[in-house]
Amino acid sequence: MIDVNDTTAFPCGLDPPYYANMIGIVVDWIIFLIGFPAVCLASYALFSLVKAGRVAPVYVINLLISDLLQITMTLVFIFSRFFDTTCLPFMMARCLSRIFVRLGLCTSLGFMLLISLERYMVVVCPLWYRLRRSVKNSTLVSLSLWALALGYVTFDYIFLIDMRYSLTIFSAISLLPAPFLVWLFLVTQRALSRSMAFRGAERRRRILGTLGLVLGSYTLLFLPYSIRNLYYSIKPHAPSVSDPVRDLSSVITSALLYLSPLTDCFLYIFMRRDLRDTVDAFPCCRRLLNVGDGNRSSRQTDQGDTQTGP
């Protein structure tokens, strides 16, 4: 994928250490084998909320779409490892895939920030949010974010040929949401403790759980990658000279970054009321719950007949 050690001999640079490292190979398979079905299931369950007439979690759905984009591009890296990596068509395919991965990462950061901002508005400005909230407005904001990210990625590909500058700018952009995510979490937590409208533990848990998951995912998965790349972008070094520490740090932080789609799936849990409501979105699980409820009801009826019998 993308690293400061790439050269300018090819439009996207040469493959970084992550591509050939065993950690990168294992992580790519984990992302595809676990992340793809998990994101698909979470997307299906969220769309079921829309069909049920509830408010559509537009930003979460778009976040999962960006995750699907990243996971789909992972297939290119998985299959290209089985062939000659120096073959021009495979090099071009990996180059284009890295561009789409960059697009997915940028939109993921944006939608994570929008999700936190939305939870903040629910608590701090509930009346304004209720009046202004609509699927149309959320969709327009989402499309604008996609267009902005696409414009940045296009500019990066055309003008920032040197991977050193490209990655420095991307890492700096990735750091921008950090203060906002922390501030939104702290302010929302304080507002929840004072609000009379959110005394229920369940609603408080879902709101803080969403904000905590977004902040934790960003801190553990995105932040190390950005800090590491900014450090090596500023630190003077010879890119052609092999540095085991630099290469290993690139592999580990890249692996953490590309695992972010796995954590996004858990946002679905905080969109539902409880565990039963979460499982009830899937038809197969719904039938099992209905069968269990039927058996429990029949047992209670039998016990009642036994107690009232002669």
Side-chain angles (χ1 to χ4, degrees), residues 108-163:
S108 291
L109 286 170
F111 287 118
M112 288 167 68
L113 184 58
L114 287 174
I115 291 169
S116 296
L117 180 61
E118 187 179 47
R119 297 297 92 187
Y120 164 81
M121 297 301 296
V122 168
V123 177
V124 179
C125 306
L127 182 60
W128 184 91
Y129 174 76
R130 193 177 298 112
L131 294 175
R132 299 286 182 176
R133 176 186 60 184
S134 69
V135 176
K136 180 180 178 180
N137 291 338
S138 299
T139 302
L140 289 176
V141 172
S142 300
L143 291 176
S144 300
L145 178 57
W146 279 103
L148 186 64
L150 183 60
Y152 159 69
V153 170
T154 304
F155 172 82
D156 180 274
Y157 176 72
I158 296 176
F159 297 102
L160 300 179
I161 304 299
D162 191 337
M163 286 295 104

Side-chain angles (χ1 to χ4, degrees), residues 21 41 53 82 84 104 116-117 125 143 170 177 180 205 235 291-292:
N21 192 278
L41 286 174
F82 293 101
D84 184 7
S116 296
L117 180 61
C125 306
L143 291 176
F170 174 70
F180 297 101
R205 181 192 66 83
K235 179 183 177 182
V291 170

Side-chain angles (χ1 to χ4, degrees), residues 112 213 215-226 252-264:
M112 288 167 68
L213 181 62
L215 179 59
S217 176
Y218 173 81
T219 304
L220 296 177
L221 304 180
F222 283 86
L223 206 56
Y225 181 83
S226 301
I252 294 176
T253 55
S254 297
L256 290 173
L257 179 69
Y258 302 140
L259 285 171
S260 59
L262 299 181
T263 62
D264 294 338

Side-chain angles (χ1 to χ4, degrees), residues 10-48:
F10 195 66
C12 293
L14 301 178
D15 293 317
Y18 174 88
Y19 178 75
N21 192 278
M22 181 57 66
I23 296 177
I25 297 173
V26 172
V27 168
D28 282 349
W29 278 105
I30 291 175
I31 293 171
F32 177 69
L33 294 177
I34 299 178
F36 183 74
V39 171
C40 288
L41 286 174
S43 301
Y44 168 81
L46 285 174
F47 278 113
S48 70

Side-chain angles (χ1 to χ4, degrees), residues 144-202:
S144 300
L145 178 57
W146 279 103
L148 186 64
L150 183 60
Y152 159 69
V153 170
T154 304
F155 172 82
D156 180 274
Y157 176 72
I158 296 176
F159 297 102
L160 300 179
I161 304 299
D162 191 337
M163 286 295 104
R164 185 185 181 93
Y165 298 125
S166 172
L167 202 57
T168 301
I169 294 176
F170 174 70
S171 299
I173 292 175
S174 300
L175 290 177
L176 293 179
F180 297 101
L181 291 176
V182 174
W183 181 80
L184 289 171
F185 179 83
L186 295 177
V187 173
T188 305
Q189 186 181 39
R190 189 180 303 115
L192 277 174
S193 62
R194 299 175 180 176
S195 175
M196 298 296 295
F198 293 91
R199 290 300 181 184
E202 187 62 31

